[in-house]
Every structure is written in C-alpha cells, then in structure tokens.
Amino acid sequence: MPGVLRLPSGRLVRGRGLRRPTPEGPEPAFGLYLLGHEPPKVEWEARWLRWPDFWLPSDRVAAGEALREAWARAASERVEVACAGGHGRTGTALACIAVLDGVPNREAVAYVRKHYAPRAVETPWQRRFVSRFQ
C-alpha cells in the first residue's frame, strides 16, 4: 500500500489514493490533488491540478509550478500528493518531485517504485513525462 516517500534530501511527501480513508497520523499542511474533477474539500491548504486518470496534466506549466511548490513546502511542512488510486498520477507527480530533489530523470520512476509503490507511474506517457520533466 502506498505511503510516505522519503526523498534523498530527507524531505517526506505522503502519497495516497482519495478512494481510501485518510491515513492515521497528523494532517498535512498542504495537499496537491491530481484529478479530472474538483477534489473534495479538506481542512488544510490545497491545490488542484486538472489531471485526467491515466493521462497527463491538462496544463503542464501549472503542473510544474504546483510540483515545485509541493517540493519546496516539503522542506518544512507536511505535504501530501493524491489522485483517485494513488498510483499513476500520484506516482508520476512523486517522480517529478524526486527529480526536483536531485534524482536523475532516467532513475526517478524506479526510485518512486522502490520507495513508494511498485505500481507507481502506470502509462508510457507518464514515464515519458517524468523523463522530460525539468
């Protein structure tokens, strides 16, 4: 089951599927939600990226900004990234955040699969998105 990804810098980012109950433990200070529709309301600060299931973000510039914000905030705050199932879009976003943290693009998917969830990043175009993320 997916959980918390520890980045090489030591930053932690919780990944999860919104179809499951909110995990036990402290609430995040910031959530990044990757869905094709507006996410449910949460008690913490949140940002929504329109990102259809099995595809890529609708606005790649906004996606880059949101992923950079999640990475920056993870230095001092609890951050979560979530989609419906917690694997494809969430895994893709976590791999991009790993790139921001210094993991080489070509290794980021394997890093997230090893340290977060073996099924993370589900489609060839999601893998390509990570390989080209800057």
Side-chain angles (χ1 to χ4, degrees):
M1 183 164 126
V4 176
L5 174 67
R6 179 178 295 276
L7 296 164
S9 66
R11 295 173 200 215
L12 302 174
V13 180
R14 180 171 76 188
R16 73 179 181 104
L18 294 172
R19 281 189 235 132
R20 292 182 175 76
T22 304
E24 296 286 324
E27 292 181 345
F30 177 72
L32 177 59
Y33 300 104
L34 319 167
L35 297 167
H37 55 83
E38 194 166 345
K41 300 289 183 215
V42 291
E43 298 296 317
W44 47 87
E45 188 178 346
R47 186 166 177 178
W48 167 45
L49 270 181
R50 185 178 299 277
W51 191 329
D53 201 7
F54 296 105
W55 291 99
L56 298 174
S58 299
D59 182 336
R60 307 233 177 139
V61 172
E65 291 169 357
L67 294 166
R68 282 177 184 76
E69 179 181 4
W71 175 76
R73 292 180 75 153
S76 61
E77 298 176 71
R78 292 184 185 278
V79 171
E80 83 169 2
V81 175
C83 63
H87 291 99
R89 293 168 285 185
T90 297
T92 302
L94 291 174
C96 291
I97 291 170
V99 168
L100 294 171
D101 205 63
V103 176
N105 294 66
R106 68 186 177 283
E107 297 171 19
V109 171
Y111 182 88
V112 170
R113 286 178 174 169
K114 179 178 180 182
H115 298 284
Y116 168 69
R119 292 183 20 223
V121 191
E122 295 175 315
T123 67
W125 40 92
Q126 289 172 341
R127 287 191 298 277
R128 188 171 51 244
F129 183 79
V130 173
S131 73
R132 296 177 178 170
F133 184 77
Q134 299 181 32

